[in-house]
Coordinates of all heavy atoms in Angstrom, one line a residue:
S217 N 1.7 -8.4 1.5 CA 2.9 -8.0 2.2 C 3.9 -9.1 2.3 O 5.0 -8.8 2.8 CB 2.6 -7.5 3.6 OG 1.8 -8.4 4.3
G218 N 3.6 -10.3 2.0 CA 4.6 -11.4 1.9 C 4.9 -12.0 3.3 O 6.0 -12.4 3.6
T219 N 3.9 -12.1 4.2 CA 4.1 -12.6 5.5 C 4.6 -14.1 5.5 O 5.4 -14.5 6.3 CB 2.8 -12.5 6.3 OG1 2.3 -11.2 6.3 CG2 3.0 -13.0 7.7
G337 N -3.6 3.9 6.6 CA -2.3 3.2 6.6 C -1.9 2.7 8.0 O -1.1 1.8 8.1
R475 N -3.7 -5.5 13.4 CA -3.8 -6.7 12.6 C -4.0 -7.9 13.4 O -3.5 -8.0 14.6 CB -2.5 -6.8 11.8 CG -2.3 -5.8 10.8 CD -3.3 -5.8 9.7 NE -3.1 -7.1 8.9 CZ -4.0 -7.4 8.0 NH1 -5.1 -6.7 7.7 NH2 -3.8 -8.6 7.3
D477 N -3.0 -10.8 12.4 CA -1.9 -11.7 12.1 C -0.6 -10.9 12.4 O -0.5 -10.0 13.1 CB -2.0 -12.2 10.7 CG -2.1 -11.0 9.7 OD1 -1.7 -9.9 10.0 OD2 -2.5 -11.2 8.5
G478 N 0.5 -11.3 11.7 CA 1.8 -10.8 12.0 C 2.3 -9.8 11.0 O 3.5 -9.5 11.0
V479 N 1.4 -9.2 10.2 CA 1.9 -8.1 9.3 C 2.4 -7.0 10.1 O 1.8 -6.5 11.0 CB 0.7 -7.7 8.4 CG1 1.2 -6.5 7.5 CG2 0.3 -8.8 7.5
L480 N 3.6 -6.5 9.6 CA 4.3 -5.4 10.3 C 3.8 -4.1 9.7 O 3.5 -4.0 8.5 CB 5.8 -5.5 10.2 CG 6.3 -6.8 10.8 CD1 7.7 -7.1 10.2 CD2 6.3 -6.7 12.3
N481 N 3.7 -3.0 10.5 CA 3.0 -1.8 10.0 C 3.6 -0.6 10.6 O 2.9 0.3 11.2 CB 1.5 -1.9 10.3 CG 0.7 -0.8 9.6 OD1 1.1 -0.3 8.6 ND2 -0.5 -0.6 10.2
P482 N 4.9 -0.3 10.5 CA 5.5 0.9 11.1 C 5.2 2.1 10.2 O 5.4 2.0 9.0 CB 7.0 0.6 11.1 CG 7.2 -0.4 10.0 CD 5.9 -1.2 9.9
S483 N 4.7 3.2 10.7 CA 4.3 4.4 10.0 C 3.5 4.1 8.8 O 3.5 4.8 7.8 CB 5.6 5.1 9.6 OG 6.4 5.5 10.7
G484 N 2.6 3.1 8.9 CA 1.6 2.9 7.8 C 2.2 2.1 6.6 O 1.6 1.9 5.6
V485 N 3.5 1.7 6.7 CA 4.2 1.0 5.7 C 4.1 -0.5 6.0 O 4.8 -1.0 6.9 CB 5.6 1.3 5.5 CG1 6.3 0.6 4.4 CG2 5.7 2.8 5.2
R486 N 3.2 -1.2 5.4 CA 2.9 -2.6 5.7 C 3.8 -3.6 5.0 O 4.0 -3.4 3.8 CB 1.4 -3.0 5.4 CG 0.4 -2.3 6.3 CD -0.9 -2.9 6.1 NE -1.9 -2.2 7.1 CZ -3.0 -2.7 7.4 NH1 -3.5 -3.8 6.8 NH2 -3.8 -2.1 8.2
F487 N 4.4 -4.5 5.7 CA 5.2 -5.5 5.0 C 5.2 -6.8 5.9 O 4.8 -6.7 7.1 CB 6.6 -5.1 4.7 CG 7.4 -4.6 5.9 CD1 8.3 -5.4 6.6 CD2 7.3 -3.3 6.3 CE1 9.0 -5.0 7.7 CE2 8.0 -2.8 7.4 CZ 8.9 -3.7 8.1
G488 N 5.7 -7.9 5.3 CA 5.6 -9.1 6.0 C 6.9 -9.5 6.7 O 8.0 -9.2 6.2
S489 N 6.8 -10.2 7.8 CA 8.1 -10.7 8.5 C 8.9 -11.6 7.6 O 10.1 -11.7 7.7 CB 7.7 -11.4 9.8 OG 6.7 -12.5 9.5
A490 N 8.2 -12.3 6.6 CA 8.9 -13.2 5.8 C 10.0 -12.5 4.9 O 11.0 -13.1 4.5 CB 7.9 -14.0 4.9
E491 N 9.7 -11.2 4.6 CA 10.7 -10.5 3.8 C 12.0 -10.3 4.6 O 13.1 -10.4 4.1 CB 10.1 -9.1 3.4 CG 8.9 -9.2 2.5 CD 8.4 -7.9 2.1 OE1 9.0 -7.2 1.3 OE2 7.3 -7.5 2.6
I492 N 11.8 -10.0 5.9 CA 13.0 -9.9 6.8 C 13.7 -11.2 7.0 O 14.9 -11.3 6.9 CB 12.6 -9.4 8.2 CG1 11.8 -8.1 8.1 CG2 13.7 -9.2 9.1 CD1 12.5 -6.9 7.5
Y493 N 12.9 -12.3 7.2 CA 13.5 -13.6 7.4 C 14.3 -14.0 6.1 O 15.4 -14.7 6.2 CB 12.4 -14.7 7.6 CG 11.6 -14.4 8.9 CD1 10.3 -14.8 8.9 CD2 12.2 -13.8 10.0 CE1 9.5 -14.6 10.1 CE2 11.5 -13.6 11.1 CZ 10.1 -14.0 11.2 OH 9.4 -13.8 12.3
I508 N 13.0 -14.0 14.8 CA 11.6 -13.7 14.9 C 11.4 -12.2 14.8 O 12.2 -11.5 15.5 CB 11.0 -14.4 16.1 CG1 9.5 -14.2 16.0 CG2 11.6 -13.9 17.4 CD1 8.7 -15.1 17.0
C509 N 10.6 -11.7 14.0 CA 10.3 -10.3 13.8 C 8.9 -9.9 14.1 O 8.0 -10.6 13.5 CB 10.7 -9.9 12.4 SG 10.8 -8.2 12.0
V510 N 8.6 -9.0 15.0 CA 7.3 -8.6 15.4 C 7.2 -7.1 15.5 O 8.1 -6.4 15.6 CB 6.9 -9.3 16.7 CG1 6.9 -10.8 16.6 CG2 7.8 -8.8 17.8
G511 N 5.9 -6.7 15.5 CA 5.6 -5.2 15.7 C 5.3 -5.0 17.2 O 4.7 -5.8 17.8
Q512 N 5.7 -3.8 17.7 CA 5.4 -3.4 19.0 C 4.6 -2.1 19.0 O 5.0 -1.1 18.4 CB 6.7 -3.2 19.8 CG 6.4 -2.7 21.3 CD 7.7 -2.3 22.0 OE1 8.4 -1.4 21.5 NE2 8.0 -2.9 23.1
E520 N 3.9 2.1 15.4 CA 4.4 0.7 15.7 C 5.9 0.7 15.4 O 6.4 1.3 14.4 CB 3.7 -0.3 14.7 CG 4.1 -1.7 14.9 CD 3.4 -2.7 14.1 OE1 2.2 -3.0 14.4 OE2 3.9 -3.2 13.1
S521 N 6.6 0.0 16.3 CA 8.0 -0.2 16.1 C 8.3 -1.7 15.7 O 7.6 -2.6 16.2 CB 8.8 0.1 17.4 OG 8.7 1.5 17.7
V522 N 9.3 -1.9 14.9 CA 9.6 -3.3 14.5 C 10.8 -3.8 15.3 O 11.8 -3.1 15.4 CB 9.9 -3.4 13.0 CG1 10.4 -4.8 12.6 CG2 8.7 -3.0 12.1
L523 N 10.6 -4.9 16.0 CA 11.6 -5.6 16.8 C 12.1 -6.9 16.1 O 11.2 -7.7 15.7 CB 11.1 -5.9 18.2 CG 11.0 -4.8 19.3 CD1 10.1 -3.7 18.8 CD2 10.5 -5.4 20.6
L524 N 13.3 -7.0 16.0 CA 13.9 -8.2 15.4 C 14.8 -8.9 16.4 O 15.7 -8.3 17.0 CB 14.7 -7.9 14.1 CG 15.5 -9.0 13.5 CD1 14.6 -10.1 13.0 CD2 16.4 -8.5 12.3
R553 N 12.7 1.5 4.7 CA 11.5 1.5 5.6 C 11.3 0.1 6.2 O 10.5 0.0 7.1 CB 10.2 1.9 4.7 CG 10.3 3.2 4.0 CD 9.1 3.5 3.2 NE 9.3 4.7 2.4 CZ 8.4 5.3 1.8 NH1 7.1 4.9 1.8 NH2 8.6 6.4 1.1
H554 N 12.0 -0.9 5.7 CA 11.9 -2.2 6.3 C 12.8 -2.4 7.5 O 12.7 -3.4 8.1 CB 12.2 -3.3 5.2 CG 11.2 -3.5 4.2 ND1 10.9 -2.5 3.2 CD2 10.3 -4.5 3.9 CE1 10.0 -3.0 2.4 NE2 9.6 -4.1 2.8
V555 N 13.8 -1.5 7.7 CA 14.8 -1.7 8.7 C 14.2 -1.7 10.1 O 13.5 -0.7 10.5 CB 15.9 -0.6 8.6 CG1 16.9 -0.8 9.7 CG2 16.6 -0.7 7.2
P556 N 14.4 -2.8 10.9 CA 13.8 -2.8 12.3 C 14.4 -1.7 13.1 O 15.5 -1.3 13.0 CB 14.2 -4.2 12.8 CG 14.5 -5.0 11.6 CD 15.0 -4.0 10.6
E575 N 4.5 -15.9 16.0 CA 4.8 -14.4 16.2 C 3.8 -13.7 17.1 O 4.1 -12.8 17.8 CB 4.8 -13.7 14.8 CG 5.9 -14.2 13.9 CD 5.8 -13.6 12.5 OE1 4.8 -13.0 12.2 OE2 6.7 -13.8 11.7
K579 N 4.4 -10.7 19.8 CA 3.9 -9.3 19.5 C 3.0 -8.8 20.6 O 3.2 -7.6 21.1 CB 3.1 -9.4 18.2 CG 2.5 -8.0 17.8 CD 1.8 -8.1 16.5 CE 1.2 -6.7 16.1 NZ 0.6 -6.7 14.7

Side-chain angles (χ1 to χ4, degrees):
S217 55
T219 306
R475 293 292 296 169
D477 56 19
V479 173
L480 301 163
N481 191 22
S483 299
V485 181
R486 293 192 175 195
F487 57 94
S489 55
E491 294 181 75
I492 305 297
Y493 300 148
I508 187 165
C509 190
V510 299
Q512 178 190 58
E520 182 175 285
S521 299
V522 175
L523 280 61
L524 175 62
R553 303 181 189 191
H554 288 72
V555 177
E575 296 171 350
K579 177 178 181 177

